[in-house]
Structures are given as C-alpha cells and as structure tokens.
Amino acid sequence: SWNLGEWAGIGVYMHATFLLIIGWVALASWLQERTLTAMAGAVAFILALFACVVLHEYGHALMARRYGIATRDITLLPIGGVARLERMPDEPRQELWVALAGPAVNVVIAAALFAWLLVSGLMVPIEDLAVAGGPFLERLLVVNVFLVAFNMIPAFPMDGGRALRALLATRTDYVRATQIAASLGQGFALLFGFVGLFTNPFLVFIALFVWIGAAQESSMVQMRSALAGIPVADAMITRFQTVSPGDRLARAVELVLAGSPHDFPVVAGGAPVGVLTRDDLMVALQRQGQDALVGQVMRRDFLSADSYDMLESAAARLQSCGCHTIPVSHGGRLVGLLTMDNLGEFLMIRAALGHPRDSLRREGRMAA
Ligand code: ZN
C-alpha cells in the first residue's frame, strides 16, 4: 500500500490493486468514447467516489476516537475502504454509533449535493443519468445514496450488520446477538446469491463476501467469549526450548530436527530479548550458513504477553501481529509461549470437557 497522507492523525493508504480499478475505468471509457476528456472525467469520478469512501471511513474512525479508540490506518481497496480500529467498542451503544457514523457521512454528502443541485438548477431527471453521462455532482449524489443503502444491509461485514448486532446486544448477550445477526446475514447472502444467479453476477460476488464475513464474525466472537476471563498462564506452552543471542544457528537447527516447533524465544539472562522464527532461520541458513549468530538473525521488535494478561487480549495481539508465536513473561522472566496452534488446542479441550468456565491447569498457573 502507498501512503496518501495523514489527516486528523490517521494515515490513509491506497492498496496497489486500486490502480487496476483506475486503469480499468480509464480503458473502459476510452473504448467507449475515444476522447481524452471523457477518460479524464471517468477517472475523476472514480477518484471522487473513493474520496467519499475515505470520508465514510473517517466517520467511523472519528466516532471511535470519541470513545477513546484509536485508528491505526485507513486503507483503500478496490472493493471499498477499511478503517483499522484498534478494537471494537465493548459497549453496544458505542458500537452502534461507530457503525452508523460511516453511512451518516454519506447521507450528509448526498444531502449537500442534493441541496446544491437544487439551488443551482443543474439537476436532470434520474432516468437521464448514465454511468458516464449526466452532471458529475448528480452522479456522485446517486453513488452516495447507493453507498448508504449498501452499507446498511443488515449483514456482516457491512455496517448495517454491526448496527443490528449492537441493537440486539442491548437486549441479549453479545455472543447470542452476534449469532442472530450472523444468521440473518447469511440468510441475506443466500437471497442475494439466488437473485444474482438470474440477474446480476455481481450480486453473487457480494453474497459470497457477506457469507464469509458473517461466518468470520461469528466464530471470532465465539472464540473471544470462550477466552474471556482466562489468564494466559492457563493456555501457554510451558515446555519449550530456548536459544541465546550468542548461539550459532547450528544449535537452532539441532533443536528443529529434534522436534521443536516453529519459533524459538531468544533468552538472555532469563529474559526474552528476541524471537527466532523458522522462516528467518531458513533464510539465514541459506545466506549466512550455520555459523551465523542467533543475535544477528532474531527479531528484536516482537510482541509479548504477561502470564497474568487475559487470553482474550493476548489472542487478539497474536492475530493482529501475523506472527506465529509470542513469548510470555512474568516479572521480566520468560515463563511460556503462546501460539495459534496451542490456543486452538486449548479451545478444543475446553469444548470437549464442556466446562468452559473451569480452569484446566491450576497447578501450571501457580508455577507460572
Ligand atoms: Zn462503513
């Protein structure tokens, strides 16, 4: 992604594939009209449309900021924009406002355009509009109305789905509310897919998008609730091998061949100082050979957790960093490792035991 700039302290990025859309629009308009002005007009329109999408995302981000939630960045993708909030609000009422703030921005833009067109007398009947024909601002108005309608479809991952979940969550618990909203979303997806088969293939694509979004949201919330209130110490791996910055890579190779999983915590004086990932190890072996030192290859900017942290937040960190392993320490000493695999196993065992609120490993927790 390329950085387009920063406004209100939030960086805006454009994904590389976005250029494809601009290229496609330019080409399509050239093939149809064969004039440079028409092509420039079409590209300007797509840019204006995506400016409205960016403003929509700012709606979410600035409303979230009111509740003390920061936004990492806003990225433009060919299918729309994504504002990466640091977390979703826990309070249903706040989630409702954050979800509605995006579409509300498009309502405001549409209303302003409508007022301007009315005052200036530039409005033409809606039947006379075409994808590339008719007043620029009126087409932008129609697109904003479409953005509101599309985003308010009550299905994940659309804003409407989040708003619906938030409304339900004021009456029932969060997991149940998510399940209802997700099922409804998948119902919508089926309907879209079915209608799309006979009318517009694009609807089938949206249906797929909605179906996957609903399934993801529902499993994520289920996992979050299964992990809530459990300390990291209960789920972490406590039997593992470490390497030190002064070790040669040969030592890590030995451990891998002896059956150590994936990534190694690098420890100096009992404290974690880095992580040697399997991928980095393989690359380093190829470039530098077995005699290179672990300290030259390890990652120093790694995430970690405390054994008394809650699993819910540690799991979120593990997911967001895209890393496989995070070291768990307590009082400055390495006491365990948390990996996606062992989190999955932990959840599976809890589900099998059917006692989601019992601690599985009290002894382990004491020792940690
Ligand atoms: Zn939105």
Side-chain angles (χ1 to χ4, degrees):
S1 302
W2 293 299
N3 193 341
L4 297 181
E6 192 181 302
W7 294 274
I10 302 167
V12 177
Y13 294 83
M14 183 174 84
H15 197 256
T17 49
F18 188 78
L19 280 186
L20 287 177
I21 288 278
I22 295 179
W24 181 73
V25 165
L27 185 71
S29 121
W30 175 256
L31 290 178
Q32 215 172 30
E33 310 267 336
R34 304 226 172 239
T35 65
L36 275 180
T37 23
M39 199 167 87
V43 170
F45 184 72
I46 214 72
L47 291 179
L49 161 61
F50 275 88
C52 292
V53 172
V54 169
L55 290 174
H56 170 112
E57 298 306 330
Y58 265 100
H60 292 307
L62 296 182
M63 185 59 85
R65 179 177 289 177
R66 279 193 51 186
Y67 299 124
I69 298 167
T71 299
R72 272 185 229 141
D73 50 49
I74 290 174
T75 304
L76 274 177
L77 302 167
I79 48 155
V82 179
R84 283 204 304 159
L85 303 191
E86 225 140 49
R87 60 185 175 86
M88 283 314 271
D90 299 321
E91 182 73 31
R93 203 169 290 274
Q94 295 183 358
E95 189 182 15
L96 178 65
W97 289 121
V98 171
L100 291 179
V105 169
N106 299 109
V107 170
V108 170
I109 296 174
L113 289 172
F114 184 73
W116 167 253
L117 287 164
L118 217 58
V119 168
S120 61
L122 286 173
M123 188 101 82
V124 299
I126 201 121
E127 307 88 73
D128 296 349
L129 284 182
V131 176
F136 188 90
L137 292 180
E138 191 169 345
R139 280 184 289 144
L140 204 56
L141 163 64
V142 171
V143 167
N144 271 284
V145 171
F146 173 78
L147 277 178
V148 174
F150 180 69
N151 277 293
M152 288 313 290
I153 295 170
F156 292 113
M158 257 65 92
D159 296 330
R162 296 189 182 286
L164 174 70
R165 190 250 310 268
L167 277 178
L168 289 168
T170 57
R171 303 185 168 261
T172 172
D173 74 286
Y174 200 71
V175 179
R176 180 103 190 86
T178 304
Q179 275 168 351
I180 298 173
S183 311
L184 204 79
Q186 293 192 318
F188 260 99
L190 273 183
L191 191 75
F192 280 179
F194 190 69
V195 174
L197 279 182
F198 300 103
T199 54
N200 188 344
F202 190 62
L203 267 184
V204 181
F205 176 70
I206 294 178
L208 207 67
F209 181 64
V210 168
W211 183 275
I212 294 170
Q216 264 179 355
E217 183 71 26
S218 137
S219 71
M220 206 180 77
V221 167
Q222 269 173 30
M223 178 169 135
R224 251 176 54 185
S225 95
L227 295 178
I230 302 169
V232 169
D234 276 18
M236 69 190 184
I237 297 174
T238 51
R239 236 190 255 171
F240 53 87
Q241 302 279 0
T242 64
V243 289
S244 71
D247 283 341
R248 304 209 174 274
L249 294 186
R251 161 91 182 130
V253 170
E254 245 171 59
L255 292 174
V256 169
L257 292 177
S260 279
H262 288 274
D263 307 339
F264 294 100
V266 184
V267 175
V273 293
V275 172
L276 177 65
T277 70
R278 179 172 285 196
D279 292 346
D280 289 350
L281 173 63
M282 293 309 152
V283 172
L285 282 176
Q286 206 174 32
R287 289 198 191 143
Q288 292 154 280
Q290 295 200 63
D291 287 334
L293 295 178
V294 168
Q296 301 168 322
V297 180
M298 69 184 191
R299 299 193 175 193
R300 289 164 196 279
D301 54 337
F302 60 96
L303 290 176
S304 65
D306 189 281
S307 58
Y308 282 72
D309 283 349
M310 289 298 127
L311 265 182
E312 197 186 343
S313 68
R317 228 172 299 160
L318 194 56
Q319 259 173 342
S320 71
C321 76
C323 44
H324 192 270
T325 307
I326 57 179
V328 181
S329 51
H330 189 68
R333 299 190 71 81
L334 182 73
V335 292
L337 295 180
L338 198 62
T339 71
M340 270 299 172
D341 291 347
N342 94 282
L343 258 186
E345 279 164 1
F346 179 76
L347 286 173
M348 227 151 59
I349 292 169
R350 284 177 79 88
L353 288 174
H355 299 297
R357 296 287 155 198
D358 276 359
S359 174
L360 292 180
R361 263 199 350 216
R362 287 181 206 285
E363 326 78 58
R365 194 161 145 194
M366 300 305 285

